[in-house]
Amino acid sequence: MCIRDRYQRRVREKICFGMAEELDLAELEHSIGYTGKHTGTVWPHPTQPDAIIHDIGSLVVIADKTDPHKQEFLRGHTENISSLAVSPSGALIASGQRGSTSSKDNEAPVIVWDFEQRKPVYHLFGLFDRVVSTSFSPDDRFLIASDPDKTYIWDMQTGQTLATTKYSCGFTAWGQMLEPVVRRTAHIPTYTFVSSHPNGIWCHKLEFSIQKMAYVLSTEECNLPSSGMVRDYICGVLDSSMRFLLAGTSSGDLGVFDIVGRVFRASVPVSSGGVGAICTHGELVYTGSGDGVLRKMTGHDLNWGMLAETKLVGAIVSLYLTEGGAALLAGTAQGLVYRVDSDTLEAVALMASHTAPITRIGFGARSDLFVTCAADGNVRIWDLSDYGVLTNMMNPSPATSCLFTLEDEVLIGGEDGSLNCYSATDGAELWTIPNAHSKAVTHLGSTPEVFLSTGADGALRLWLQSNRRLLGQFAEHSGPITGLCVDCNDDSLVHTCSSDKSIITWDLKREKRSNCHMLREGSFLHMAQRKDHEWELITSHGPGVLLQWDCDIADPVKKCEDPRGARTSCIAISPSGKYLATGCDDFSVKVWDVIGDEVISVCLGHSAVVKDVKWSPDEKQFISVAQDCAICVWNFYGN
């Protein structure tokens, strides 16, 4: 992979300069996770046509639409990003987040980034709960941001607060920059902008005052009809004349306002699903609707006509011109980002993501293909060469476990206790067992002859691969089974751990329990097995505690603690057995040296609890998934 070549070159350079101690053994290669949960969170860069700026959880991502391996990450937020804006010059990026759960007042900061340097310029405070909208002035001088209750205006030359208001702006559309009428302020322009508020549109003027030696904000409300125009305005833009505001509403119509006369002019029906995004190019207007239809319109004031339309997958939540007006960049609530030709409206998907928390991940025989399943039942086969989706399946029940078999089949365990098998090639359902467990299927495994399934009902069940007949079951656990391992030295032995504080080793040949370990306090969360020494079992439990168990000794033979005290929710041993990857509740993935019992890398890329982590068969990468709907692909250089 090209990034591996760049990394190895950097390794050689650092060693030459005596800086080898700065190297990290794991590096975030790629992240997949744009969900489209918030409007306006995928942007084209105004001067670099190949650059796309979007959010993944708490990260701002700068991607290249021509090369999926080129991604850069801006880290600084503590919660998921809820608003994003790129300045007209492209020099600045503003990102606002949801209210911080670690802050007493649920504070929601805004970070302003330098695009070229990839570094923060300002951390701006004063907003709470979540940042609803962000917008730069036409010359990058000012930034407007709102939470549900108020609006702040900051000066980007100083980072100081210019004005605050006791109302929120659903969106902001900047108008003309006017020449001042006072000669003494001839070099200081006056700014105009329009904003949406519950059931209304307001026109604002930001004018420099000689008396106060500062900018002063003045506001006037647009006149609406006396009845019948109660609307929730979602998005808006000024037309080419800078006189008319075109505002999309949740009711599905396009409101036309004369901002010079401050009066409502027309309501143009567009969609029954609401208008969630809008942009203009000359006399053309493009609207993105909640029903996924992108429409190209033309018109003026009271007269409007439809020119063309196309259907995308999911409600359209972001829509911006790119490539000098030759194309549109559209983001949808189904986690898809499209490039749409502005003339023909031909759409090509650039990115795809899960939009529900991802529950499990699995590799098959190949290191370049992996499977993920999510809480909404969506199952996908991914290709690591371009991070595209090869196969898309929808399980009838929320997916709680998965297994990618060596025969290119995908076995899915459902929340309803069902087992469903799909072809990894075309996604066709091959077979199903409706009531494999009475509760959710927690883990899946296999031996050459049987499939293994464990459930929240405490049962381990064996299914013949040839005809899917139930071969046998073990039901001694009194709580949900949280871990499953086929013994790496003898596949007739299977190990399970449970929330009932027990580890049980099952002998499949003798059809009975072979060994048992008990925990005095707490419960087991997950399990793996060492591939060296005495093939000890490694379990996670409690706040950051890893225990190792020998089959001949009742008590744990070794105890390791997470250096950050984080609860370990999932663990995976590497194919060589030298390394252990752990997913934690502090949103991190840690890599341990198994022999040295120490953390050798802390990987930060998620913004929610990590639910699963798996190594590729060649041990060059590992992949983690989390409740933030993100997939993180990590390059590993331990070998």
Side-chain angles (χ1 to χ4, degrees):
M1 297 169 66
C2 60
I3 192 165
R4 177 174 290 278
D5 296 336
R6 294 198 300 271
Y7 182 82
Q8 290 175 343
R9 182 169 61 251
R10 191 163 72 248
V11 168
R12 292 192 293 269
E13 292 172 352
K14 285 181 175 286
I15 291 176
C16 290
F17 288 97
M19 300 165 61
E21 67 278 2
E22 296 183 14
L23 297 175
D24 197 345
L25 294 179
E27 181 179 62
L28 183 57
E29 147 78 356
H30 194 84
S31 184
I32 304 168
Y34 170 75
T35 61
K37 289 183 178 178
H38 302 284
T39 60
T41 48
V42 56
W43 286 71
H45 192 271
T47 62
Q48 297 186 16
D50 292 336
I52 299 175
I53 301 160
H54 63 93
D55 70 309
I56 296 179
S58 62
L59 300 177
V60 177
V61 182
I62 302 174
D64 190 321
K65 66 184 179 184
T66 63
D67 184 356
H69 294 284
K70 291 178 66 175
Q71 270 188 333
E72 295 180 83
F73 306 96
L74 307 182
R75 296 181 173 89
H77 288 287
T78 58
E79 302 290 341
N80 286 353
I81 292 170
S82 58
S83 182
L84 197 64
V86 179
S87 68
S89 72
L92 300 174
I93 301 170
S95 55
Q97 68 172 55
R98 300 186 67 88
S100 173
T101 55
S102 60
S103 169
K104 181 179 68 174
D105 299 321
N106 211 23
E107 194 166 39
V110 174
I111 301 179
V112 179
W113 309 85
D114 184 307
F115 177 79
E116 291 297 331
Q117 298 296 322
R118 310 296 202 258
K119 294 180 179 179
V121 180
Y122 301 118
H123 287 76
L124 307 174
F125 299 92
L127 303 178
F128 300 91
D129 294 331
R130 73 179 179 95
V131 179
V132 175
S133 64
T134 49
S135 179
F136 284 99
S137 64
D139 60 354
D140 297 5
R141 173 70 187 276
F142 299 111
L143 172 69
I144 296 179
S146 298
D147 67 15
D149 299 315
K150 57 185 171 299
T151 299
Y152 270 66
I153 304 177
W154 289 285
D155 190 331
M156 290 295 95
Q157 292 183 349
T158 63
Q160 299 297 312
T161 302
L162 181 70
T164 61
T165 66
K166 294 183 179 181
Y167 50 79
S168 174
C169 298
F171 70 81
T172 300
W174 289 86
Q176 291 180 312
M177 295 172 57
L178 306 176
E179 294 294 330
V181 295
V182 181
R183 183 177 299 178
R184 292 174 58 186
T185 60
H187 62 289
I188 305 176
T190 296
Y191 298 81
T192 61
F193 63 93
V194 184
S195 62
S196 68
H197 305 271
N199 302 324
I201 297 293
W202 295 358
C203 300
H204 310 269
K205 183 180 290 187
L206 202 57
E207 191 170 11
F208 191 81
S209 170
I210 293 294
Q211 290 77 17
K212 296 183 178 181
M213 291 303 294
Y215 273 95
V216 176
L217 180 68
S218 59
T219 299
E220 293 184 87
E221 190 171 354
C222 283
N223 295 319
L224 292 169
S226 57
S227 63
M229 275 305 297
V230 177
R231 295 288 189 273
D232 180 18
Y233 297 99
I234 302 174
C235 56
V237 65
L238 293 176
D239 71 352
S240 58
S241 70
M242 304 298 282
R243 173 168 181 168
F244 292 97
L245 172 74
L246 311 176
T249 74
S250 59
S251 303
D253 57 344
L254 188 68
V256 182
F257 292 84
D258 182 346
I259 62 171
V260 175
R262 295 183 298 282
V263 64
F264 169 81
R265 293 290 298 168
S267 175
V268 183
V270 174
S271 166
S272 60
V275 179
I278 185 171
C279 67
T280 62
H281 182 49
E283 298 299 319
L284 298 175
V285 178
Y286 299 89
T287 62
S289 304
D291 56 7
V293 178
L294 192 158
R295 293 176 172 85
K296 179 164 71 171
M297 306 169 61
T298 186
H300 177 74
D301 199 5
L302 301 176
N303 302 309
W304 293 88
M306 190 78 64
L307 299 179
E309 66 179 41
T310 190
K311 185 77 162 61
L312 306 182
V313 177
I316 300 172
V317 295
S318 297
L319 188 64
Y320 297 101
L321 280 172
T322 184
E323 302 174 21
L328 301 160
L329 190 68
T332 77
Q334 287 296 315
L336 291 160
V337 176
Y338 292 91
R339 180 198 179 273
V340 183
D341 187 283
S342 60
D343 183 28
T344 64
L345 295 191
E346 180 181 356
V348 177
L350 302 176
M351 291 187 287
S353 306
H354 282 286
T355 56
I358 305 172
T359 53
R360 289 289 185 267
I361 182 174
F363 275 95
R366 296 171 54 177
S367 295
D368 59 341
L369 300 181
F370 66 96
V371 60
T372 57
C373 60
D376 60 356
N378 187 227
V379 181
R380 297 183 179 187
I381 308 291
W382 302 83
D383 188 342
L384 282 172
S385 64
D386 60 3
Y387 308 106
V389 178
L390 295 181
T391 313
N392 199 345
M393 297 152 276
M394 184 58 69
N395 200 59
S397 172
T400 53
S401 55
C402 68
L403 176 67
F404 202 161
T405 72
L406 299 180
E407 291 75 26
D408 278 344
E409 296 176 352
V410 176
L411 186 59
I412 301 297
E415 191 178 68
D416 61 357
S418 64
L419 291 177
N420 293 275
C421 186
Y422 302 91
S423 167
T425 304
D426 57 11
E429 184 177 85
L430 303 178
W431 51 265
T432 182
I433 303 175
N435 299 303
H437 288 266
S438 60
K439 295 182 180 179
V441 179
T442 55
H443 292 278
L444 296 169
S446 67
T447 71
E449 290 84 24
V450 299
F451 291 121
L452 308 169
S453 64
T454 64
D457 55 6
L460 164 66
R461 291 194 167 100
L462 285 62
W463 311 87
L464 278 174
Q465 292 193 24
S466 57
N467 58 13
R468 278 79 66 188
R469 182 173 62 86
L470 180 62
L471 182 64
Q473 68 171 343
F474 302 92
E476 293 188 26
H477 284 296
S478 60
I481 296 178
T482 56
L484 169 68
C485 287
V486 177
D487 193 273
C488 59
N489 196 41
D490 182 357
D491 62 17
S492 67
L493 298 178
V494 175
H495 313 282
T496 57
C497 66
S498 170
S499 60
D500 65 2
K501 307 180 184 180
S502 68
I503 302 173
I504 300 179
T505 299
W506 310 94
D507 189 326
L508 303 187
K509 289 181 178 178
R510 299 169 62 190
E511 298 183 7
K512 69 176 187 177
R513 183 175 71 176
S514 172
N515 203 345
C516 182
H517 296 281
M518 293 297 296
L519 192 66
R520 293 185 178 90
E521 296 179 356
S523 61
F524 293 110
L525 304 175
H526 210 256
M527 171 192 289
Q529 186 181 21
R530 289 185 66 159
K531 299 182 180 182
D532 61 353
H533 203 249
E534 296 292 332
W535 299 287
E536 292 93 341
L537 297 174
I538 305 174
T539 60
S540 64
H541 90 99
V545 177
L546 297 177
L547 300 177
Q548 296 190 24
W549 305 80
D550 189 290
C551 63
D552 299 324
I553 302 174
D555 294 327
V557 296
K558 189 175 290 187
K559 177 181 178 180
C560 303
E561 296 188 9
D562 187 291
R564 302 170 71 173
R567 180 177 179 266
T568 301
S569 54
C570 54
I571 56 180
I573 198 81
S574 70
S576 70
K578 296 179 181 179
Y579 306 101
L580 183 75
T582 61
C584 304
D585 283 8
D586 64 354
F587 313 160
S588 70
V589 177
K590 301 180 181 69
V591 181
W592 297 69
D593 182 332
V594 172
I595 297 176
D597 297 323
E598 62 178 351
V599 174
I600 58 175
S601 183
V602 178
C603 308
L604 302 176
H606 290 288
S607 56
V609 174
V610 179
K611 299 299 293 183
D612 200 8
V613 60
K614 289 291 189 298
W615 292 85
S616 63
D618 61 8
E619 205 172 288
K620 293 180 180 179
Q621 293 179 314
F622 59 91
I623 300 180
S624 57
V625 297
Q627 287 182 338
D628 59 2
C629 312
I631 303 169
C632 288
V633 181
W634 306 90
N635 283 339
F636 183 67
Y637 306 104
N639 296 322

